[in-house]
Amino acid sequence: MIVFLQSLMSGVLIGGVYALIGIGLTIIFGVMRVINFAHGDILMIGMYLTYFLFSVFGIDPFLSVAICIPVMFAFGALTQKFFINRMLGALPQNQILLTIGLGLIMSNTIMLLFTSDYKILTTSYSSGSVDLAGISVSQPLAISFFITAAITAALYWFLMKTDIGQAIRATAQDREAAQLMGINVRWTSILAFGIGSALAGTAGALISPTYYIFPQVGSAFTLKAFVITVLGGMGSIVGATLGGIIIGVTESMSAVYISSGWKEVVVYVLFLLVLLFKPSGLMGTSRM
Amino acid sequence: MRVTLSATARRGASPLGLGLFAAAVVVLLLFPQFVKSPYALHMMVLFFLSVIMGESWNILGGYAGQYSVGHSAYFGVGAYTTMILMTAKGIPPWFGVWVGVVVVVGVALIIGSICFRLRGPYFVLASIAVAEIMRLSAFNLKELTNGAEGILAVSVPPLTIGGTVITDFLSKVPFYYFGLGLALLTIAVTWVVEHSKLGYFFQAIREDQDAAHSLGISLTLYKNIALVISAILTSLAGSYYAVYVGFVDPNTVLPLDLSVQIVLISIIGGIGTLFGPVVGALVLVPLSEALRSNLITQAFFSMGLVSQDSKVGIFLQENLAHAHVLIYGILVVIVILFMPEGVLGFVTRLVQKITRRDA
Amino acid sequence: MRNKVLLLLFTLVVALSSLALAAPVKIGFINSITGPEAPIGENLTNGVTMAVEDLKKKGIDVQLMKEDDTGKPQISMSAMEKLAQDGVAGVVGPYTSACANAVAQQAMKYKVPQLVPAAAKEDITRQGFTWVYRLNAPAHNYAQALMDAAFNLGQPKSIAFIYESTDFGTSVSAAGKDYAAKKGLKIVADEAYQKGSPDYRSTLAKIKAQNPDLVFMVSYVADAILLMRQSREMGLAPQAFLGGGAGFDTAQFESEKDISNAVFSVTQWTPDMGTPGAPEFYERYNKQFGKKPTYHAACAYQAMMIMGETAAKAGGDREKVSQILDTGTWTGIMGEVKFEDYEGFTNQNKHMMPVIQYQNGKAETVFCPGKVCKVKPIYPFPGWK
């Protein structure tokens, strides 16, 4: 029973961070219908930014989120403006390849700058935990879970209540109609990619106190982000949040009750089942 | 005028093109007679391997428009089947390859039945997921695949017909001719597909699935045909690779990187054209080798552009080899942004422009 | 008369050394310079760089042909093809087991002496390849050295294995499981994981529930730190943590004082294992590259020294290089090196691995091969602070 509750707890907590990665991807996909293969690499840049701020200026990884969000937003927006916006409406496979190429550029530039050494961030709370009725709760994961929740709530409010948010949602629902209604689609695309990148970068910052950093770290997260996004329904924020937590718990549970070696297979099988039987995803009916 | 132009371009059978192709084949056939360097032959083997992979993906991705980013699955199945049969059961690869083909047809039909229910980006993601499941399973099914330790073949049994030894696989020459043969086979298959009814059905599906469906073309049937042809050829590439390298493990024959690389060959060369993947291989194989082995820096030195002891020279020597994936990435972005029809399309258009100006 | 002889000798030495300088020996070095293994590959490059400097001091001018294999077997084969054609006297490398294995077959085919510095896969020197030599100890030694240390110090009854699903991880733990069965240890958990996963907590919780006396972990890189951090979170406290090499043997792991304390690990080399020149090598490396040398660096250094000296002695002739490697003995930072045929191995150096333990943020050698170490091991694990 303790083992069950323990894995449930760590699954939910790690799922929170997964959710943030998934939300970023879902916004980008929702608005642009581009599968962003560079998503994990953007997350990786967020990690290096956090590492840089921590090791040079001694800024705590959780505080550096405040710097990470604007910097990564600008990074994503510029990438969109100079590269991906040129490809809107191009063949989908070319858009995929463009993001693959951009991802390669990102990870290898970082490699030249920081070498390919594994970097690890050690804070006073890196292996700290709180005992909760016999279950240990990782301190850094718990903090990042709350930050994730706060960011998700703020984002939801932004998309629902503000004019810009509504423009983004409108573009996601129907690009042409939105254009006809006078929404500048190129601008909303830049915004969407900026927000998506900021979220991925933030996820990178949040995960860095408990994980390690190297230039090729992104690809594993890219795949995870795809799974989460599809599971929740492409373009749905609530869905991506749920999807992230489901994936976290599934991984955690299958490591205990099946085996660590098969846990990712379980995740991909779940992914295929959702694609086949509910291709619109868990929350597929609602768009954002 | 335009119509006839594009028609011959599509048929690809202009006398000039045919002549060039025949000349290239003759040169390639004679190549090992003149070039004895194993290094050169090895590079040619890698080139053929890329051509086979690119052409086979092209049938599904280029002609039928189904952008699979999971072709490593078929490559891996071919490679593993041949290696398992060769090392565990002592079955020589020229029989094992065909078992691999049978297995891969089964696998392809299962994958097809899952993935072809999906379209566009969903299809891409499903194909990745399936390939990842195969890769992770290869890690876990230790009895069959020997897990992460991989399968190592110490030697390849000699190829004999009726007791006479045709080749013993000790030099690179037999591998060269097998590679050339397979590459020509995939090009021939692509040509046949392109010039048959199948090719028109594939292209109809690529252009507009719903329209094709309403014309009475069975989407499931023809997508699966394209997949099976493509998978068989890819598995041949996998078997060829496995026998040549003599070692397979999940991360060398089933990774996502490989799937991406297979797609890149076609896209960089020119998607949906007979010789696009050949051009892609012609660009990518020498480029990555030149970058990897620091040939480009050496060339700068020997041309006298940069002195070997200067700061720039030292910087290049230290970093250019490290940067080869970076340059690869930049190349991909440039091709996608500025040559959306691939290098072949770009060059063809350039040639057309020049000839038109002359006329 | 005596002066004349001396003069003659002197001129001879000068002439010979200038001859050696005039004709540098070509040696190939295949390594993972880029790709996923690049972080470790860098250590090997540094070791080789130092060896080339030292060889120069000895009057041996090495023309180093550095080749990147990007961690892929087929690329390492390209590198070997190129080197064989370029007429190298011998090859040091590649780093990874998969690549070293692919290259070994070519070394046989082209009759190029290949000296493997740090790849652990058993098979590499078990195929009767007479042109392939290995300096480091193969995978099974990792498991045996560690478990012997535990048997020496206590009476463990049960053991849990958690290891990454890679060639190295599975072969080390497979050897460990065999050895455990032989010694009557009960195996209570056998968990392979895909490296790079951010969360091992549930697996560790499962292991904790089994309450094993020993926890044997094999992890290549920074996963080692994650595993120990999360073990601390979970409160997993066996009699001893045994870290099977690689990831448990990095400067980063050493610096993680909170989680590394009392963890055992095994390695190919330590500066205080009592081999000649080891402390000096440590100091020099630290000064030159700004970090501590790993065993990869030491292995690569020693391998290149051996290859350089041998190649110079053989005048670049591959056949002679191989003969000298077959019969020669070298003593250096890795101790005595001799390539022998035993227990199915061919040209394998019988390297004895030192066992280390982290004590207060410092790696201390607690079992030195053939010697008594200065530092006493802590056993059992004192528990988490």
Side-chain angles (χ1 to χ4, degrees):
Chain A
M1 193 59 194
I2 280 287
V3 175
F4 175 81
L5 289 175
Q6 182 68 63
S7 7
L8 184 68
M9 174 57 85
S10 50
V12 169
L13 289 181
I14 201 89
V17 182
Y18 287 176
L20 206 53
I21 309 171
I23 296 171
L25 191 73
T26 219
I27 290 181
I28 293 174
F29 182 83
V31 171
M32 288 178 311
R33 295 287 179 275
V34 170
I35 307 183
N36 178 21
F37 269 77
H39 205 66
D41 295 297
I42 294 171
L43 174 133
M44 177 271 304
I45 292 180
M47 285 178 148
Y48 271 93
L49 182 63
T50 313
Y51 174 77
F52 178 76
L53 291 171
F54 178 78
S55 55
V56 176
F57 301 107
I59 299 174
D60 186 274
F62 290 125
L63 288 179
S64 73
V65 168
I67 302 170
C68 222
I69 290 177
V71 172
M72 293 311 292
F73 176 85
F75 177 79
L78 290 175
T79 309
Q80 173 71 25
K81 183 163 165 39
F82 289 115
F83 296 100
I84 302 171
N85 254 356
R86 290 165 173 264
M87 298 294 293
L88 290 178
L91 293 168
Q93 85 272 16
N94 283 2
Q95 295 179 340
I96 291 177
L97 283 167
L98 179 68
T99 58
I100 289 178
L102 289 173
L104 285 176
I105 294 176
M106 289 176 203
S107 57
N108 285 281
T109 309
I110 289 287
M111 199 185 88
L112 284 182
L113 291 177
F114 288 87
T115 75
S116 39
D117 276 344
Y118 292 86
K119 313 271 186 212
I120 197 143
L121 262 170
T122 306
T123 55
S124 54
Y125 48 80
S126 270
S127 54
S129 61
V130 183
D131 192 75
L132 208 81
I135 302 164
S136 98
V137 179
S138 159
Q139 220 170 307
L141 274 189
I143 301 173
S144 49
F145 189 83
F146 286 117
I147 297 180
T148 302
I151 290 176
T152 314
L155 187 72
Y156 201 74
W157 173 84
F158 168 77
L159 288 172
M160 291 318 230
K161 301 286 175 200
T162 63
D163 289 348
I164 305 173
Q166 281 181 343
I168 291 177
R169 276 169 48 224
T171 318
Q173 258 168 19
D174 190 334
R175 204 180 177 82
E176 268 133 45
Q179 209 154 11
L180 289 175
M181 302 304 280
I183 293 172
N184 186 339
V185 171
R186 291 190 160 260
W187 256 110
T188 40
S189 298
I190 291 174
L191 273 177
F193 208 91
I195 295 173
S197 303
L199 291 174
T202 308
L206 292 180
I207 212 168
S208 31
T210 49
Y211 198 51
Y212 51 85
I213 305 164
F214 60 104
Q216 281 83 21
V217 72
S219 58
F221 288 103
T222 305
L223 285 181
K224 222 156 251 171
F226 290 157
V227 174
I228 293 162
T229 312
V230 169
L231 198 66
M234 291 236 201
S236 159
I237 290 180
V238 181
T241 313
L242 263 179
I245 290 172
I246 290 174
I247 295 300
V249 173
T250 309
E251 279 189 356
S252 195
M253 289 293 172
S254 31
V256 173
Y257 296 103
I258 302 172
S259 92
S260 319
W262 287 104
K263 74 174 185 185
E264 276 152 66
V265 176
V266 175
V267 169
Y268 287 119
V269 170
L270 179 74
F271 171 70
L272 285 178
L273 289 176
V274 170
L275 272 181
L276 288 178
F277 298 109
K278 202 164 183 326
S280 56
L282 297 175
M283 292 298 194
T285 42
S286 71
R287 286 221 167 271
M288 288 202 170
Chain B
M1 184 57 209
R2 241 197 98 69
V3 176
T4 49
L5 237 180
S6 70
T8 48
R10 179 144 40 88
R11 300 222 150 236
S14 68
L16 179 70
L18 215 63
L20 272 176
F21 180 66
V25 171
V26 170
V27 169
L28 287 173
L29 278 172
L30 294 175
F31 186 80
Q33 304 303 317
F34 299 104
V35 182
K36 297 283 175 210
S37 146
Y39 178 55
L41 291 177
H42 173 75
M43 291 322 298
M44 291 306 288
V45 165
L46 291 189
F47 168 68
F48 293 142
L49 189 69
S50 288
V51 170
I52 306 165
M53 295 191 298
E55 287 284 348
S56 17
W57 183 86
N58 198 25
I59 292 175
L60 180 68
Y63 288 95
Q66 304 302 308
Y67 310 112
S68 154
V69 190
H71 257 50
S72 65
Y74 314 113
F75 188 91
V77 167
Y80 263 107
T81 312
T82 308
M83 279 300 261
I84 291 169
L85 291 175
M86 186 163 88
T87 54
K89 303 263 183 275
I91 298 171
W94 40 97
F95 299 119
V97 165
W98 305 112
V99 182
V101 165
V102 173
V103 176
V104 95
V105 169
V107 171
L109 288 175
I110 295 171
I111 294 181
S113 68
I114 300 170
C115 296
F116 285 137
R117 296 168 181 225
L118 305 160
R119 286 185 184 186
Y122 294 95
F123 174 80
V124 174
L125 295 178
S127 68
I128 294 176
V130 172
E132 277 294 292
I133 290 176
M134 306 272 286
R135 183 178 72 88
L136 295 166
S137 303
F139 272 114
N140 286 300
L141 299 171
K142 289 205 182 84
E143 287 76 19
L144 188 66
T145 63
N146 203 24
E149 290 172 63
I151 302 173
L152 181 77
V154 178
S155 62
V156 183
L159 172 57
T160 53
I161 296 178
T164 44
V165 177
I166 307 288
T167 174
D168 49 13
F169 291 101
L170 286 180
S171 82
K172 304 229 169 267
V173 178
F175 285 110
Y176 176 92
Y177 283 115
F178 270 101
L180 177 61
L182 282 175
L184 290 177
L185 174 76
T186 49
I187 293 173
V189 169
T190 311
W191 188 86
V192 170
V193 166
E194 195 180 32
H195 289 77
S196 67
K197 251 190 181 160
L198 221 50
Y200 289 108
F201 289 157
F202 289 173
Q203 288 173 31
I205 293 173
R206 177 183 71 195
E207 296 309 327
D208 190 336
Q209 296 203 22
D210 299 312
H213 187 64
S214 62
L215 286 173
I217 298 173
S218 161
L219 294 181
T220 327
L221 177 67
Y222 288 104
K223 281 180 184 176
N224 274 308
I225 291 176
L227 175 65
V228 166
I229 298 173
S230 178
I232 289 175
L233 295 173
T234 311
S235 93
L236 291 178
S239 300
Y240 175 62
Y241 169 89
V243 177
Y244 180 65
V245 174
F247 177 74
V248 293
D249 76 354
N251 280 342
T252 54
V253 298
L254 285 164
L256 178 59
D257 284 359
L258 178 67
S259 301
V260 170
Q261 199 197 332
I262 293 175
V263 181
L264 285 182
I265 299 166
S266 266
I267 304 250
I268 288 189
I271 192 170
T273 55
L274 185 56
F275 288 108
V278 179
V279 173
L282 219 46
V283 172
L284 290 180
V285 174
L287 180 77
S288 34
E289 177 63 13
L291 288 168
R292 182 199 68 77
S293 63
N294 242 337
L295 266 176
I296 293 182
T297 321
Q298 303 293 339
F300 281 161
F301 291 157
S302 57
M303 281 192 292
L305 282 177
V306 184
S307 141
Q308 193 155 357
D309 303 316
S310 71
K311 272 198 176 138
V312 183
I314 292 167
F315 177 81
L316 283 178
Q317 208 159 16
E318 292 280 309
N319 287 296
L320 208 55
H322 287 263
H324 79 250
V325 190
L326 175 65
I327 293 171
Y328 208 84
I330 294 172
L331 181 84
V332 171
V333 171
I334 289 175
V335 167
I336 299 294
L337 285 181
F338 302 108
M339 312 174 193
E341 288 161 351
V343 173
L344 184 62
F346 182 74
V347 171
T348 319
R349 206 173 269 196
L350 214 66
V351 170
Q352 272 177 4
K353 231 183 216 171
I354 292 165
T355 48
R356 216 173 280 166
R357 199 174 293 160
D358 286 350
Chain C
M1 183 62 202
R2 200 175 158 176
N3 275 344
K4 261 189 188 169
V5 172
L6 272 177
L7 197 76
L8 197 77
L9 267 173
F10 180 67
T11 35
L12 208 81
V13 166
V14 170
L16 274 176
S17 56
S18 66
L19 205 81
L21 279 174
V25 285
K26 266 192 192 177
I27 296 176
F29 172 47
I30 309 174
N31 186 21
S32 302
I33 299 173
T34 60
E37 311 297 343
I40 298 171
E42 197 201 334
N43 299 311
L44 282 99
T45 308
N46 293 345
V48 163
T49 308
M50 276 176 68
V52 171
E53 289 166 12
D54 286 2
L55 287 165
K56 192 151 204 168
K57 279 181 212 150
K58 290 191 173 185
I60 299 166
D61 197 8
V62 174
Q63 187 188 345
L64 189 66
M65 319 275 289
K66 236 195 266 181
E67 294 283 331
D68 180 14
D69 63 22
T70 70
K72 291 186 185 139
Q74 74 270 30
I75 308 291
S76 69
M77 285 172 79
S78 307
M80 186 61 169
E81 297 288 354
K82 188 159 169 277
L83 291 173
Q85 191 185 325
D86 285 347
V88 293
V91 168
V92 173
Y95 160 56
T96 66
S97 284
C99 291
N101 223 337
V103 167
Q105 311 207 10
Q106 290 174 300
M108 258 329 257
K109 202 192 281 176
Y110 299 127
K111 301 194 173 14
V112 179
Q114 178 197 4
L115 179 48
V116 178
K121 193 182 179 67
E122 311 256 305
D123 300 2
I124 297 170
T125 44
R126 290 198 90 131
Q127 304 166 96
F129 285 175
T130 47
W131 291 85
V132 181
Y133 302 81
R134 173 158 53 187
L135 179 67
N136 63 301
H140 72 272
N141 289 42
Y142 283 79
Q144 286 182 13
L146 267 178
M147 284 160 72
D148 280 340
F151 288 129
N152 237 316
L153 297 167
Q155 280 108 28
K157 299 272 185 300
S158 58
I159 186 165
F161 287 90
I162 172 165
Y163 52 97
E164 61 171 35
S165 208
T166 58
D167 191 354
F168 180 74
T170 41
S171 37
V172 170
S173 52
K177 279 178 263 178
D178 282 350
Y179 200 58
K182 211 191 275 171
K183 290 276 180 175
L185 271 181
K186 195 175 160 223
I187 300 168
V188 293
D190 179 7
E191 296 284 335
Y193 67 85
Q194 283 289 318
K195 68 173 171 186
S197 168
D199 184 23
Y200 302 108
R201 292 175 184 83
S202 47
T203 309
L204 291 168
K206 191 175 160 189
I207 288 177
K208 191 189 170 194
Q210 300 289 335
N211 201 15
D213 290 340
L214 298 175
V215 173
F216 193 110
M217 297 174 169
V218 190
S219 124
Y220 222 85
V221 282
D223 286 316
I225 296 177
L226 256 55
L227 279 168
M228 287 314 296
R229 276 186 185 170
Q230 295 177 13
S231 295
R232 184 182 177 207
E233 271 178 33
M234 295 289 134
L236 176 64
Q239 284 180 22
F241 283 104
L242 308 177
F248 290 89
D249 179 26
T250 60
Q252 276 170 334
F253 189 81
E254 187 178 2
S255 66
E256 296 276 318
K257 218 171 160 178
D258 288 345
I259 52 157
S260 69
N261 201 32
V263 173
F264 287 95
S265 184
V266 64
T267 180
Q268 304 276 356
W269 177 83
T270 64
D272 47 2
M273 71 191 272
T275 48
E280 293 80 3
F281 175 78
Y282 178 89
E283 285 304 324
R284 256 183 70 205
Y285 188 99
N286 206 353
K287 208 179 270 172
Q288 198 161 340
F289 302 106
K291 55 181 172 187
K292 294 170 183 171
T294 64
Y295 77 78
H296 308 96
C299 288
Y301 170 84
Q302 184 64 64
M304 185 50 82
M305 287 304 287
I306 292 175
M307 191 53 97
E309 284 171 16
T310 310
K313 217 185 274 174
D317 182 75
R318 290 174 185 171
E319 195 82 41
K320 272 191 205 148
V321 170
S322 160
Q323 278 169 13
I324 299 173
L325 288 176
D326 283 339
T327 51
T329 309
W330 295 261
T331 309
I333 58 168
M334 296 288 291
E336 195 185 73
V337 178
K338 219 164 117 188
F339 300 104
E340 295 171 275
D341 299 350
Y342 66 96
E343 292 165 19
F345 286 105
T346 309
N347 296 336
Q348 170 68 50
N349 178 28
K350 242 188 213 170
H351 182 61
M352 301 292 283
M353 298 177 80
V355 172
I356 55 173
Q357 187 179 42
Y358 294 93
Q359 298 184 357
N360 295 318
K362 199 172 175 310
E364 301 285 4
T365 312
V366 289
F367 285 94
C368 308
K371 289 188 187 70
V372 180
C373 295
K374 281 184 217 137
V375 181
K376 290 270 158 296
I378 304 170
Y379 194 95
F381 183 70
W384 296 107
K385 266 178 233 157

